[in-house]
Amino acid sequence: EAEELEVQVMETSARVLGKEHPDTLTSMANLASTFWNQGRWKEAEGLEVQVMETRKRVLGKEHPDTLTSMANLAFTFKSQGRNREAMLLLEECFKLQKRVLGPQHPHTTSSLEALNEWQLGNIEIED
């Protein structure tokens, strides 16, 4: 039911505001989150890539919304077992967050915590 509503909102937003409007991209990101919560990784990834790339182009690589999209995609990679891709993307995101948002910002600290946890997990697997 939530998914149907999110699809309707996304389609209406795209039609009325345009496919690259920030509100349309937020609707797409919300639908991707719903897919992620349902374990539908490939569908989530498809939307997240589209949202991230469009936000980079429209808002800029360092815009907070773009950084959120990068982090979301990194977590989707991780959920699919694509650990190297996930870590590389989240490392890039963390560096930008630290510079743009500051080292104490909740998003920055959250990314750092995830990176530390993922790195520890990789060490344990390799041993």
Side-chain angles (χ1 to χ4, degrees), residues 43-57:
E43 291 166 283
E45 178 186 344
L47 284 173
E48 288 170 347
V49 167
Q50 194 175 344
V51 169
M52 183 185 74
E53 293 301 328
T54 305
R55 282 178 168 166
K56 278 183 183 178
R57 191 174 61 255

Side-chain angles (χ1 to χ4, degrees), residues 62-79:
E62 296 185 351
H63 190 281
D65 290 349
T66 305
L67 299 178
T68 297
S69 298
M70 289 175 74
N72 289 345
L73 182 57
F75 277 88
T76 298
F77 287 160
K78 180 72 172 160
S79 296

Side-chain angles (χ1 to χ4, degrees), residues 52-103:
M52 183 185 74
E53 293 301 328
T54 305
R55 282 178 168 166
K56 278 183 183 178
R57 191 174 61 255
V58 174
L59 303 175
K61 186 174 182 172
E62 296 185 351
H63 190 281
D65 290 349
T66 305
L67 299 178
T68 297
S69 298
M70 289 175 74
N72 289 345
L73 182 57
F75 277 88
T76 298
F77 287 160
K78 180 72 172 160
S79 296
Q80 296 177 76
R82 293 161 62 184
N83 296 343
R84 178 128 178 86
E85 288 173 273
M87 289 195 52
L88 289 173
L89 185 58
L90 196 58
E91 283 173 1
E92 179 185 359
C93 181
F94 167 72
K95 288 175 186 173
L96 291 168
Q97 287 173 325
K98 190 174 175 185
R99 188 171 73 240
V100 174
L101 304 175

Side-chain angles (χ1 to χ4, degrees), residues 37-48:
N37 289 330
Q38 295 172 346
R40 294 163 64 182
W41 314 123
K42 281 294 180 193
E43 291 166 283
E45 178 186 344
L47 284 173
E48 288 170 347

